[in-house]
Amino acid sequence: QPVLTQSSSASASLGSSVTLTCTLTSGHSNYIIAWHQQQPGKAPRYLMKQGSGFYNKGSGVPDRFSGSSSGADRYLTISNLQSEDEADYYCGTWDSNSWVFGGGTKLTVL
Amino acid sequence: EVQLVESGGGLVQPGGSLRLSCAASGFTFTSYSMNWVRQAPGKGLEWVAFITSSSNNIYYADSVKGRFTISRDNAKNSLYLQMNSLRADDTGVYYCARADDFWGQGTLVTVSS
């Protein structure tokens, strides 16, 4: 079963850009992952699905959000950071019979 | 507009039971697998259970296997989670999710004496 590793926290200034990383375990580098945003006190929100060389955003997700990948690493980049981007960000993937989540990254907008 | 509305959460004593419901609307319910995911206070997301569109395949996290049962009623566009033998560590917000691309608002389950 794959393990998804995320940094516990990240911070960046208002109006700047930040890249969050989700790393798949060796042997699972071709897995497709999804990113989810959870603002404080709210339910998670689906952002995008991402694989090697592609990403597909969910409906209504701002253009400021983009994805990229390199090997086993999946990146979520947020440009022109806004205060509402302060949230927890989770990556997740499906294995044969379970949905696996990373531990989440808490993004602080300074 | 896609909507998932959970209900049925509340306070229950250890060893008790609770049944959660998730009402789906705004999409073709019969075309999607569904999940339950929970979040303990201050913790991350933990997948609980999965059911395919026709209920042919069902999977559970090891932490709930034998105690929880996921089911669905496609005629009612509804998803359910029957939770038995509840423990304190089952406390948290329970979300239903359409496959992995849409989440409900969650319902709080508190297991405490």
Side-chain angles (χ1 to χ4, degrees), chain A residues 69-105:
Chain A
S69 63
S70 176
D73 291 330
R74 305 285 184 266
Y75 306 109
L76 174 67
T77 298
I78 312 171
S79 305
N80 187 23
L81 271 170
Q82 304 296 303
S83 57
E84 61 264 30
D85 299 331
E86 184 159 292
D88 294 324
Y89 291 83
Y90 294 92
C91 57
T93 191
W94 275 101
D95 198 26
S96 53
N97 56 7
S98 64
W99 191 0
V100 180
F101 292 99
T105 297

Side-chain angles (χ1 to χ4, degrees), chain A residues 33-34 36 38 42-46 49 88 90 92 94 96-103, chain B residues 33 35 37 39 43-47 50 59-60 95 97 99-106:
Chain A
I33 69 142
H36 308 271
Q38 187 175 33
K42 293 191 174 183
R45 173 196 181 192
Y46 168 76
K49 200 154 289 181
D88 294 324
Y90 294 92
W94 275 101
S96 53
N97 56 7
S98 64
W99 191 0
V100 180
F101 292 99
Chain B
S33 59
N35 289 279
V37 176
Q39 187 171 36
K43 302 296 184 183
L45 302 174
E46 180 190 14
W47 170 75
F50 163 91
Y59 304 115
Y60 298 97
Y95 299 100
D100 64 352
D101 68 0
F102 194 86
W103 298 77
Q105 88 289 348

